Amino acid sequence: MSEETTSNPSSNRTLDGRVTSSAMDKTVTVLIERKVKHPLYGKFMRRSTKIHAHDEENACSEGDLVRVEQCRPLSKTKTWRLIEILEKAR
């Protein structure tokens, strides 16, 4: 196998989103929004997904803009890990 085909741990999928809940211990709920083009009419629509992310230090609060990366399953619903807080809530 060549070097290009080996998987790099830091090449995981990363997404940016807004924290909607931080009530759980070491877990935050993050709302990911994306724009999708309608197949027939061509209008761009907003679609959203809520994910649970692991926050080891309980550093996030509601309204923060965060970056998360995909990781191994940490619980039944938690397969994302917090990388950094991009912007604190005002």
Side-chain angles (χ1 to χ4, degrees), residues 16-77:
D16 295 346
R18 184 109 11 220
V19 176
T20 57
S21 171
S22 60
M24 296 171 278
D25 187 34
K26 296 188 178 184
T27 304
V28 291
T29 303
V30 180
L31 184 74
I32 307 293
E33 282 199 340
R34 63 191 193 282
K35 290 190 177 176
V36 181
K37 191 174 182 180
H38 190 280
L40 179 61
Y41 300 113
K43 181 177 179 176
F44 282 93
M45 305 174 295
R46 283 180 22 203
R47 295 284 180 238
S48 61
T49 306
K50 278 187 179 180
I51 60 169
H52 289 144
H54 185 66
D55 178 15
E56 184 65 41
E57 291 90 31
N58 286 322
C60 289
S61 58
E62 223 171 287
D64 291 352
L65 187 66
V66 296
R67 178 166 291 144
V68 293
E69 77 171 346
Q70 204 167 19
C71 64
R72 66 179 178 83
L74 300 170
S75 71
K76 182 180 175 181
T77 59

Side-chain angles (χ1 to χ4, degrees), residues 73-84:
L74 300 170
S75 71
K76 182 180 175 181
T77 59
K78 195 162 54 166
T79 57
W80 295 82
R81 181 179 295 122
L82 178 74
I83 298 176
E84 62 179 324

